[in-house]
Amino acid sequence: MSHCPFCKKKIAMSKAFCSRSCKENYFQLIAIQVPKPFLKRIFVFCTVEQREVEIEKFATRHGWRHDLLKNKIDELASQYGY
């Protein structure tokens, strides 16, 4: 047995992902690039409410799903210590 790289469900060895949506989400998550100055701006200079608005605008501007962008930002914030 193998595991889906996106959702970690058990799948057959012959499959790479458990579903088409997991495949799309996985590759979109890889494609998301968040610049370090943007992270600094939203974590240092913005309140929590302003941060959510900025993340929503950033996701819309680049055509990314909001939840995937939020996950990527949370991952990078913990990596950079914000």
Side-chain angles (χ1 to χ4, degrees), residues 1-60:
M1 293 299 283
S2 181
H3 292 89
C4 176
F6 185 73
C7 68
K8 309 298 184 219
K9 286 183 187 174
K10 286 188 176 185
I11 55 174
M13 290 294 287
S14 61
K15 295 176 75 179
F17 296 92
C18 65
S19 67
R20 181 177 296 253
S21 65
C22 275
K23 180 180 178 180
E24 291 169 0
N25 290 340
Y26 179 77
F27 286 111
Q28 188 175 60
L29 191 61
I30 289 174
I32 292 174
Q33 298 293 315
V34 182
K36 201 169 183 181
F38 176 76
L39 286 174
K40 183 175 183 178
R41 183 167 54 91
I42 65 171
F43 282 103
V44 175
F45 301 112
C46 293
T47 64
V48 175
E49 295 82 21
Q50 292 170 331
R51 186 179 307 149
E52 288 300 320
V53 171
E54 290 295 322
I55 291 171
E56 183 66 40
K57 286 195 289 188
F58 193 77
T60 304

Side-chain angles (χ1 to χ4, degrees), residues 54-67 69:
E54 290 295 322
I55 291 171
E56 183 66 40
K57 286 195 289 188
F58 193 77
T60 304
R61 184 179 320 127
H62 293 285
W64 294 326
R65 284 191 25 210
H66 181 263
D67 60 330
L69 179 61

